Amino acid sequence: MHSEKIHWFKLVFRLRGSVIPAIFHRVLICGLFGFFISLLYHLKFPVSQPVFGNLVPSVVIGLLLVFRTNTAYERFWEGRKAWGTLVNNVRNLARQIWVAVIEVNPEDRESKIMTLRLLVAFAIATKLHLRAKPINQELANLISPAQFHKLKTMNNPPLEIAFWIGDYLQSQYTHGCIDAYQLVALQNLLNSMVDVLGACERILKTPIPLAYAIHLKQLLLIYCSLLPFNLVGNLGWWTGAFVALVSFIVFGVEEIGIEIENPFGYDRNDLPLNTICDTMLRNIEDLISLSPSVHAHAGNAKFTQSSN
Amino acid sequence: MHSEKIHWFKLVFRLRGSVIPAIFHRVLICGLFGFFISLLYHLKFPVSQPVFGNLVPSVVIGLLLVFRTNTAYERFWEGRKAWGTLVNNVRNLARQIWVAVIEVNPEDRESKIMTLRLLVAFAIATKLHLRAKPINQELANLISPAQFHKLKTMNNPPLEIAFWIGDYLQSQYTHGCIDAYQLVALQNLLNSMVDVLGACERILKTPIPLAYAIHLKQLLLIYCSLLPFNLVGNLGWWTGAFVALVSFIVFGVEEIGIEIENPFGYDRNDLPLNTICDTMLRNIEDLISLSPSVHAHAGNAKFTQSSN
Amino acid sequence: MHSEKIHWFKLVFRLRGSVIPAIFHRVLICGLFGFFISLLYHLKFPVSQPVFGNLVPSVVIGLLLVFRTNTAYERFWEGRKAWGTLVNNVRNLARQIWVAVIEVNPEDRESKIMTLRLLVAFAIATKLHLRAKPINQELANLISPAQFHKLKTMNNPPLEIAFWIGDYLQSQYTHGCIDAYQLVALQNLLNSMVDVLGACERILKTPIPLAYAIHLKQLLLIYCSLLPFNLVGNLGWWTGAFVALVSFIVFGVEEIGIEIENPFGYDRNDLPLNTICDTMLRNIEDLISLSPSVHAHAGNAKFTQSSN
Amino acid sequence: MHSEKIHWFKLVFRLRGSVIPAIFHRVLICGLFGFFISLLYHLKFPVSQPVFGNLVPSVVIGLLLVFRTNTAYERFWEGRKAWGTLVNNVRNLARQIWVAVIEVNPEDRESKIMTLRLLVAFAIATKLHLRAKPINQELANLISPAQFHKLKTMNNPPLEIAFWIGDYLQSQYTHGCIDAYQLVALQNLLNSMVDVLGACERILKTPIPLAYAIHLKQLLLIYCSLLPFNLVGNLGWWTGAFVALVSFIVFGVEEIGIEIENPFGYDRNDLPLNTICDTMLRNIEDLISLSPSVHAHAGNAKFTQSSN
Amino acid sequence: MHSEKIHWFKLVFRLRGSVIPAIFHRVLICGLFGFFISLLYHLKFPVSQPVFGNLVPSVVIGLLLVFRTNTAYERFWEGRKAWGTLVNNVRNLARQIWVAVIEVNPEDRESKIMTLRLLVAFAIATKLHLRAKPINQELANLISPAQFHKLKTMNNPPLEIAFWIGDYLQSQYTHGCIDAYQLVALQNLLNSMVDVLGACERILKTPIPLAYAIHLKQLLLIYCSLLPFNLVGNLGWWTGAFVALVSFIVFGVEEIGIEIENPFGYDRNDLPLNTICDTMLRNIEDLISLSPSVHAHAGNAKFTQSSN
């Protein structure tokens, strides 16, 4: 219980990961404007207007902020779900390839392992593609030099990796190492991986409609501009401090929305894509360390297409 | 950090993409009405009625505005998801056709490439259909002149393109170039593309129920009409300006809802359908530049239906 | 821009499609009650009780109204989605039957066209079933007289039509005109059409729980009954008018919920089921005008089940 | 219009189906407490504390009540959807079994009809299982005495019925009366019926987290306890009545949430499970009255597995 | 009715399962701070600042608290759904394996039963993995000692169990005991079990974005810090008590969110994972007690792959 208490108070004053650095300038400007109004008030200008407090209904501000928050969080969570689906599909596809594809020659196992690594390469290429980074060494360890060279010339590297995986599956089918039903099932899992790529691109490239973003910013600016006129009569010299406080609250909520709307970046509030890719690779390596029992029977495999 | 600050303030005063042009007239009328009331007040008419401020509960206004906002945004996002699904299906269908359909004669590759282009044509025809535009040159580059001519006479061009794609798949199956399981899998992807067409038509043709649209407009009008009576006692000659400000806030939120409810148009808050179609075409062209390995084995393909 | 302005003001005063006719009586009663209270006030009865204004928290009223609104709209939209799914499935099923079923004899094409018409008949029968109307001439044009006669005796006509379609598909399979995988794929689309029927029946037969409906009505009645006591001290003879106004707002929101909760009726806020059915029929007729290429090969079709 | 008016007013004063009986005691206690405070006030105790009215923010109360309401309604609706899925699956499974399973001997039709009845038995057994009732006569009419006897000894009767249906399908496949693809498709529909059972058990056995239930009750109690101190200064002897009124509103909303959270019981706000089961049975009986055309060909059925 | 009344009041004062122990320290600190302010007030310091009450809009606090609540509850419910899916898949997979896999030798039944137990082992291993506990005796009862030994060395035990199940299915297929379509259907159910594992890991490892957690805590702290200045003028020495009360309400809502956000732990508000696992095991044991009819035909099974 005690440790949890400390944790709570440690978190509340934490700067890293909070939005304070991002909104510092705006809050400062609001605070200075508040101070300026209290100066005018001190000089007997008629700036005290308590009625301003009711002009912008705080319920409208509140609801639009929450709409912004919900929307941004849903994108964050949808992005996370997409990556979760990617992890699941890589695991399922890898397990089924490992278990089902028959190894006739010793080099078949080698090409199998290379294909499993391609699955992880797909995830890493997706990560780099979403971050608009060129393909790099991280990827080079998982694919052949020829593939690496080819990828450099492509618009959308993950799509080419999906092509290679699909091509491997089709050629295993043509050689009679999997049958047609399994081919379709494995292709469906691959389709689902390409769907994840599309979902992430969609989240990345379609922000909240511009008109909302602008209108909300305008509302917040109007709200914070009217605030000192409302407060100065009661708070005097403290006006600046409290205007800064309120602007900190409302700009903070907006800023979080902006930050998590695109969850594929590098900062502390984004998705841990590097960790997810590492987990996938570890799972694949674990899988390769197990040996499937069916391969003992590979020599006399009886399949529909070779049964006659 | 600094650049982001500037960006924030640039956005807040931005006119293009904001709803200001659309609601300008209504805001002006409200402002003039407010000014008229302050004139009456100055002439000692008993127009100051602070109790009017509590008549229309602002929480009801706020919640209905947010309901409008949520509904419109969900349609926008559902439209975006539908197009994302279209992108995914085009990619998956193209990859599988490219990898799986066996090429016996040299002209088979040609018909394969034409079919891949038909996939993009489906997307473009859907775009034109949603915008109620006739088929145009953009489409003519992707289909044969005979097809172009035929499309001109049709009620629903995307459906005919889907028919041609389905027809191609079925004829490949009849000629033994894909097997039955793959045919069904590819037809399912095609079905999903037709589902996208249906989903977009649904969003386009079923706006929010009329009764909601009317009732919300009536509420906003009542709210803005009562406002000057409430404010004039405190604000005097400023009444017009502040009534305009509040009407700007509430009409703005409603207007955004109206604008993004149908996301298939041309303005800045709509979906970037042209860009999406271009991306699809680029992905298809990239795919055609890769050559699948299985075709080396096309000569001795062994399929269930020709195995005896 | 200008035309849009006019449109906005035309809509706001529109009676048809609005809820005003439905709530007219209740609003009138509230207004008269308000007038009665202002009469008592004039006669010096102690009816002015401003504290009543805070008794029923307006936030609770507002949130329950929005809950009602959301729930009703979700049903409306779910009903629309179900019909959208029906349109998609009819299109996909029709296209695949048209493309895939082999025609051996000339009369095979006739039975194919009759089956495509049965798909539209399913939609129309569903529409009539949801509206609790007997089957009529609209349906008679699409089915054979024998079927029409049979349908008259059935509890759930759409289910029998689904049976006929399923029976057709199975018999085509038995005669070797489609293969087993296609049969399963087509049956799945048919299943999905029956799912739509079930979804619409669910929306129709399960209104919002009775306890909510009652409790919300009680709340609104209490709210509107206390309102005149709260307002009469400030508004005097105007009390009746403003009580009517507020009751118009809250009863209006509730009434819209009631109206769109069952979206399968005839009024202006319901789904355009007739238009949707007409579109389906037009799409089917368009499809029949196209001739699939594979039928040239129908004579020497090679299928698994007839390959030996 | 007029009849609808009467209906509205009849509903608002309706006791059956409303939550009044359930919350009567709590409301009475709150009213008596309010009366006690007004007594103390009359005896000049310093109990009038208007500031208490602002302590518990009514927006927090309102939002938590709505959260409760939404959550409970979502469970209600999810339960309804699950039963809708059950209806759909029973219809689809029955139609496909009726159409597709070949009848070689006359007794095959008998076992087919028994299996169709087992589908309804599954639904009824699920209903009884959710209501924690033992299996009864309703079920005995649909299954054989031996099965009835066996079911009595089982923990989860619906699961055993699913086993019998699955066993029937598998044995039809082993005897060559359906082929492998159809078997898989039918098993998938059966899986989906078992999924419905699981979904209902989940809704039944996982109420809203205890901490929420407790915290909301505490909040409501605090709110209602502070209310008389806030009101007594203005309302005097009427305090008790109005405290009862407000507690009626808030406890009512909470109580509805509790009632519909588990929608599988017997009261008026629960799902009409008996009616749904009756509809299923009627649909099955209708289906049995139709005779599928394919059975004429049953004698010379040509299937993959028996084609050589 | 009466018993329900008692139940309500018993629940409201219940400590176990409530959040009171977790937030006790924070509430106490707020109370003491409130008392300190009332002491300063008594010593005539100018601490009474009623305007502070309006600074932090309570609607923003309320909406953010509800956002927190909704988000946490959705994760709780998504976790519950994932486990519900696991239960369904284990039931369906077990039933189909039991019914469909042909037993040639007596030891085949033994290996079948071991595989059914592996399904439960998958669920238990998932539970232990989510709780970051090593594999234990509970698991040892369901798997072979060799498997138990192997599992100890693995990063992700459930994935290895899934590998063993997949391996068993594939080897049954290779030996001709199930056919290809069934293999794919069973592998799909297994994929879905691995999806559940991934969904739970996702919920566990991706808490609400840090920036939200921090910002909400800061808001609550500011709100509770300003509260005594607002209240002390009216409440005097009672300030501490009422500040404690309000902080209890708001910290309580936040704390519940924190507690149910990760629903896989041990406390009373978490999911009953142990009970769910026990139910699965009981269902499997029930299933094993039934004997499928098709096995009588196992000797002369006629499958595609062995039909020639």
Side-chain angles (χ1 to χ4, degrees), chain A residues 8 80 179 181 269 293 308, chain E residues 26 167 173 180 206 211-212 308:
Chain A
W8 200 94
R80 183 62 188 85
D179 60 30
Y181 328 105
N269 289 305
S293 63
N308 294 317
Chain E
R26 269 169 275 161
D167 196 35
Y173 165 60
T206 315
Y212 274 122
N308 293 317

Side-chain angles (χ1 to χ4, degrees), chain B:
Chain B
M1 193 57 48
H2 198 245
S3 67
E4 143 62 34
K5 262 303 302 309
I6 286 169
H7 184 60
W8 200 94
F9 279 106
K10 253 172 73 184
L11 215 53
V12 81
F13 291 119
R14 176 163 174 169
L15 207 68
R16 272 210 325 165
S18 90
V19 289
I20 294 175
I23 61 173
F24 182 69
H25 282 82
R26 268 170 275 161
V27 169
L28 195 68
I29 290 175
C30 285
L32 291 176
F33 181 65
F35 177 76
F36 177 68
I37 298 297
S38 59
L39 192 68
L40 293 182
Y41 181 69
H42 195 67
L43 303 170
K44 309 292 183 205
F45 283 83
V47 289
S48 176
Q49 296 285 353
V51 73
F52 280 19
N54 303 319
L55 277 182
V56 184
S58 73
V59 73
V60 172
I61 292 269
L63 288 167
L64 281 179
L65 275 179
V66 162
F67 167 70
R68 185 74 174 88
T69 298
N70 277 331
T71 311
Y73 179 72
E74 274 163 26
R75 284 149 176 275
F76 172 84
W77 195 236
E78 195 183 343
R80 183 63 188 83
K81 273 189 174 163
W83 274 85
T85 305
L86 189 55
V87 171
N88 295 342
N89 286 333
V90 165
R91 286 173 174 175
N92 285 323
L93 198 42
R95 193 190 67 244
Q96 292 199 33
I97 289 177
W98 195 241
V99 163
V101 177
I102 294 170
E103 299 164 14
V104 182
N105 305 315
E107 61 265 30
D108 286 355
R109 170 157 297 213
E110 211 44 54
S111 71
K112 228 160 140 175
I113 290 176
M114 279 185 59
T115 307
L116 296 201
R117 295 230 168 92
L118 271 185
L119 296 175
V120 182
F122 180 88
I124 292 173
T126 300
K127 179 184 73 179
L128 297 174
H129 182 63
L130 293 173
R131 291 174 171 174
K133 288 209 305 187
I135 60 168
N136 60 16
Q137 197 54 37
E138 201 180 349
L139 213 49
N141 298 332
L142 296 163
I143 59 181
S144 70
Q147 289 173 325
F148 188 73
H149 192 70
K150 181 84 185 166
L151 271 195
K152 277 187 176 162
T153 69
M154 287 295 178
N155 287 312
N156 199 331
L159 280 184
E160 322 319 323
I161 298 179
F163 168 79
W164 292 326
I165 300 169
D167 196 35
Y168 168 80
L169 295 174
Q170 182 73 26
S171 83
Q172 292 312 103
Y173 165 61
T174 315
H175 291 92
C177 297
I178 49 172
D179 59 31
Y181 329 104
Q182 286 177 316
L183 174 67
V184 168
L186 297 178
Q187 291 279 14
N188 282 346
L189 288 172
L190 184 58
N191 287 349
S192 177
M193 285 170 66
V194 174
D195 290 350
V196 165
L197 170 67
C200 291
E201 287 178 341
R202 170 167 54 82
I203 293 169
L204 184 69
K205 291 190 188 151
T206 314
I208 196 172
L210 190 59
Y212 275 122
I214 295 177
H215 202 68
L216 179 57
K217 282 179 210 298
Q218 289 171 339
L219 242 78
L220 295 183
L221 199 66
I222 292 170
Y223 183 76
C224 291
S225 307
L226 295 180
L227 204 58
F229 300 96
N230 176 22
L231 298 177
V232 73
N234 286 299
L235 293 174
W237 290 111
W238 286 92
T239 305
F242 284 98
V243 169
L245 192 80
V246 173
S247 71
F248 161 69
I249 292 171
V250 294
F251 286 130
V253 177
E254 192 218 0
E255 184 63 32
I256 301 176
I258 295 171
E259 273 193 20
I260 69 168
E261 191 178 36
N262 167 15
F264 305 121
Y266 297 94
D267 68 51
R268 290 190 64 84
N269 289 305
D270 286 331
L271 293 173
L273 298 191
N274 290 331
T275 313
I276 294 173
C277 288
D278 291 350
T279 305
M280 269 187 231
L281 188 56
R282 205 165 49 235
N283 289 335
I284 295 292
E285 299 297 346
D286 269 15
L287 182 70
I288 293 173
S289 77
L290 296 165
S291 60
S293 63
V294 284
H295 286 201
H297 307 281
N300 59 341
K302 306 198 304 187
F303 281 94
T304 306
Q305 67 265 38
S306 58
S307 62
N308 293 318

Side-chain angles (χ1 to χ4, degrees), chain B residues 26 167 173 180 191 206 211-212, chain C residues 8 69 80 179 181 269 293:
Chain B
R26 268 170 275 161
D167 196 35
Y173 165 61
N191 287 349
T206 314
Y212 275 122
Chain C
W8 200 95
T69 298
R80 183 62 188 84
D179 59 31
Y181 329 103
N269 289 305
S293 63

Side-chain angles (χ1 to χ4, degrees), chain E residues 1 11-12 19 25 28-29 42 44 63 68 75 112 133 135 150-151 172 225-226 231 272 288-289:
Chain E
M1 193 56 48
L11 215 53
V12 81
V19 289
H25 282 81
L28 195 67
I29 291 174
H42 196 68
K44 308 293 182 203
L63 287 167
R68 185 72 173 91
R75 284 150 176 276
K112 230 160 138 174
K133 286 211 304 188
I135 61 168
K150 183 81 185 170
L151 273 195
Q172 292 312 104
S225 306
L226 296 179
L231 298 176
I288 293 172
S289 78

